[in-house]
Amino acid sequence: MINTRPRIIAIAAVSGGGKTTITSRLNLELDKSRAIYFDDYDLEGPEDIIDWVDRGADCNEWNIDPIIIDVKNLIDTNDLNYILLDYPFSRLHDNLKAIDLTVFIDTPLDIAMARRLLRDFRDANTEVIINEISNYISRGRMGYERMLNKIKPNSDLVIEGSLPVNEIIRVIIDEINN
């Protein structure tokens, strides 16, 4: 019997772009798959994200060793067809380039921001929400735009993020099967 390495598929998007939703749904649809979620890790990285973006957003400034260890452990189980990464860096981190397919969910920034507000600030008071929106306008949007300019062009498949989730999943599965 020949052991084959599972296909590693990375799903990237801006914050609020749908990475977690798409990764979770894809994990349900694909046979013998496991998902790894970037936000489940307390990774060492730049303290000031806006400063990091201003300096060029070098993905290598993040220590992703815990993710790499988990990917290797999943590969070693020999019983998976797919490892799905909810992962913002595509193939741009030097220590995790062995990704077979990178998908960028190209979600319009207004939709991504609205999703973030609904997700992260559901129970926040008005002042906190206004401060978040002000920060987004003055500094945060630039980070989103840099990601669009850096990660999106380095992805194998770009999918319109305003499509229904079922359609996004269908497009990704079609790409996997081709």
Side-chain angles (χ1 to χ4, degrees):
M1 179 174 163
I2 298 173
N3 287 333
T4 58
R5 179 177 75 79
R7 291 182 70 187
I8 300 173
I9 301 167
I11 310 295
V14 297
S15 180
K19 291 183 298 296
T20 301
T21 297
I22 297 305
T23 302
S24 297
R25 281 288 304 281
L26 199 55
N27 193 36
L28 294 174
E29 297 289 329
L30 294 173
D31 186 44
K32 296 171 74 174
S33 66
R34 289 284 301 271
I36 292 176
Y37 299 91
F38 185 83
D39 289 343
D40 286 349
Y41 295 84
D42 185 20
L43 300 173
E44 294 175 28
E47 291 193 23
D48 184 334
I49 297 298
I50 300 301
D51 176 61
W52 174 68
V53 168
D54 287 344
R55 291 184 286 106
D58 180 1
C59 301
N60 293 301
E61 290 185 41
W62 291 84
N63 178 355
I64 61 166
D65 289 346
I67 293 173
I68 293 168
I69 289 168
D70 285 350
V71 167
K72 287 180 181 176
N73 287 337
L74 288 176
I75 290 171
D76 290 344
T77 65
N78 292 322
D79 65 347
L80 294 176
N81 293 331
Y82 304 98
I83 297 172
L84 306 174
L85 301 176
D86 167 340
Y87 178 69
F89 301 145
S90 188
R91 284 190 196 92
L92 296 179
H93 197 292
D94 289 342
N95 295 335
L96 187 55
K97 289 191 175 278
I99 296 172
D100 299 294
L101 175 66
T102 59
V103 177
F104 187 84
I105 303 168
D106 192 10
T107 304
L109 296 184
D110 62 326
I111 293 173
M113 180 60 176
R115 287 177 181 167
R116 276 193 59 240
L117 289 172
L118 289 170
R119 179 190 70 205
D120 298 342
F121 298 93
R122 181 172 301 281
D123 298 321
N125 66 41
T126 305
E127 183 179 342
V128 170
I129 294 169
I130 299 253
N131 285 339
E132 179 62 23
I133 292 170
S134 294
N135 184 55
Y136 173 80
I137 290 169
S138 67
R139 303 177 70 206
R141 189 170 197 280
M142 177 180 44
Y144 283 56
E145 290 172 338
R146 291 267 171 90
M147 185 168 189
L148 290 174
N149 293 330
K150 189 169 187 168
I151 305 297
K152 180 179 167 181
N154 287 287
S155 298
D156 301 316
L157 176 65
V158 176
I159 301 174
E160 171 57 47
S162 61
L163 291 172
V165 171
N166 289 341
E167 180 66 14
I168 294 171
I169 296 300
R170 185 194 60 74
V171 170
I172 295 170
I173 290 175
D174 286 350
E175 181 71 21
I176 290 169
N177 290 331
N178 286 334

